[in-house]
Amino acid sequence: MVAAVRVHKTGGPEVMVYEQIELAAPGPGQIKIKQHAIGVNYIDTYFRMGMYPAPGGLPFVVGSEGAGEVIAVGSGVTDLKVGDRVAAVVAMGGYAEERIIPADRAVKMPDNISYEQAAGMMLKGMTAEYLLRRTFKVEKGHTVLVHAAAGGVGLILCQWAKHLGATVIGTVGSKDKAELAKQNGADHTILYKDEDFAAKVKDITGGRLCDVVYDGVGKTTFPGSLDCLRPLGMFVSYGAASGQIDAFNINILQFKGSLFATRPTLNHYAAKREDLVAIAKDLFDVVGSGAVKIDVSGSYALKDARKAHEDLEGRKTTGSLILKP
Ligand SMILES: NC(=O)c1ccc[n+]([C@@H]2O[C@H](COP(=O)([O-])OP(=O)(O)OC[C@H]3O[C@@H](n4cnc5c(N)ncnc54)[C@H](OP(=O)(O)O)[C@@H]3O)[C@@H](O)[C@H]2O)c1
């Protein structure tokens, strides 16, 4: 038996139950991991509340991201062995002392990356990688708008976009968060609860607007985000912390400047093993070089997952949150 946090009925943070669960031995192509640190992500709240249906139905163990050591391997697994340090993002099963995952979804961790860093960055950092390098290729001279710039994905996006030579504008919910975003690469910050962020972006850029908007906030920043884009700019809607964007008429993209809009997820960008490995390597390199730092600002005991969700949804957190088994 191992300790885990399960949801039997979807709802608020209180539906998460800390309990003992049975874990079988890993099957063919699978590995069992003893987790040393577990990532907390906004997407975990979508599954917990039922906004996203859990693939295997109820009950389910919340969470997807973690890092630890391999403690058992199933038949047919040749490139991993007991004792290897690995990190992974696999839907469900994350908030647990131990978990079983397909071996081809795990990546070996370089020695210079700690379990805590890995748990704080595999989902958020690989997301930043594909958003900045694949969905829209950010280059020197681009102007980038990052919503929720002091959040987990936000802080990584700001640092990495700056490292790539972009001018970074970040929206944030408080003055403290604005300060943090500035320390992490944002050239300009906007308090989007108090200010009209689209008007402010127009001001900051002298009317030139942005090449790309990275929007993980969703409902409350749409359609304002489209007004921050120059003609042919790219609207990247990658999350819905404030709720999902309502259905809209696609013609709005024409009138606002022949814009591009996409709603990407890491699942698709990292579906092939070779892409997963390449994205992870890019992330390990940029963190290993010190160009991007992973700010693990909150560490909670696994049994306190409820508190972690309350803080995250209460907009009380910055950077990455982890659970310690
Ligand atoms: N598509 C993908 O592949 C992918 C992968 C990973 C994450 N994501 C998405 O990326 C986004 C960020 O994830 P994260 O785990 O790093 O979370 P996070 O940014 O650390 O936390 C969410 C932040 O959103 C802001 N926010 C704005 N309106 C909010 C509201 N009504 N309720 C709560 N928060 C609100 C808050 O910052 P302020 O107080 O500064 O406004 C809050 O801190 C999420 O939307 C997540 O779903 C997408």
Side-chain angles (χ1 to χ4, degrees), residues 40-43 46 52 123-124 127 130-131 148-154 171-174 177 192-193 215-217 220 237-243 263-267 312-319:
V40 176
N41 288 280
Y42 220 90
I43 192 170
Y46 306 153
Y52 289 179
L123 177 51
K124 300 171 189 75
T127 297
Y130 84 75
L131 292 175
V153 180
T171 60
V172 286
S174 71
K177 289 186 178 186
Y192 58 176
K193 284 198 262 184
D215 189 341
V217 172
T220 57
S237 169
Y238 72 95
S242 69
R263 190 6 181 140
T265 77
L266 178 64
N267 285 347
L312 185 62
E313 291 173 286
R315 302 170 81 160
K316 291 185 186 149
T317 66
T318 57

Side-chain angles (χ1 to χ4, degrees), residues 158-222:
C158 288
Q159 294 176 75
W160 205 331
K162 185 72 185 165
H163 176 61
L164 292 168
T167 297
V168 181
I169 306 173
T171 60
V172 286
S174 71
K175 285 188 178 147
D176 288 350
K177 289 186 178 186
E179 192 48 45
L180 186 67
K182 281 205 169 129
Q183 286 162 9
N184 285 274
D187 297 283
H188 310 273
T189 53
I190 302 171
L191 295 170
Y192 58 176
K193 284 198 262 184
D194 310 327
E195 301 174 283
D196 175 345
F197 70 84
K200 198 78 200 285
V201 164
K202 198 170 173 189
D203 241 30
I204 290 167
T205 59
R208 292 185 64 246
L209 304 179
C210 300
D211 298 276
V212 58
V213 174
Y214 292 114
D215 189 341
V217 172
K219 196 175 181 73
T220 57
T221 44
F222 188 85

Side-chain angles (χ1 to χ4, degrees), residues 222-223 226 245-256 261:
F222 188 85
L226 302 182
I245 295 172
D246 291 329
F248 66 92
N249 184 337
I250 197 166
N251 293 323
I252 193 173
L253 301 178
Q254 172 194 350
F255 297 117
K256 291 197 183 281

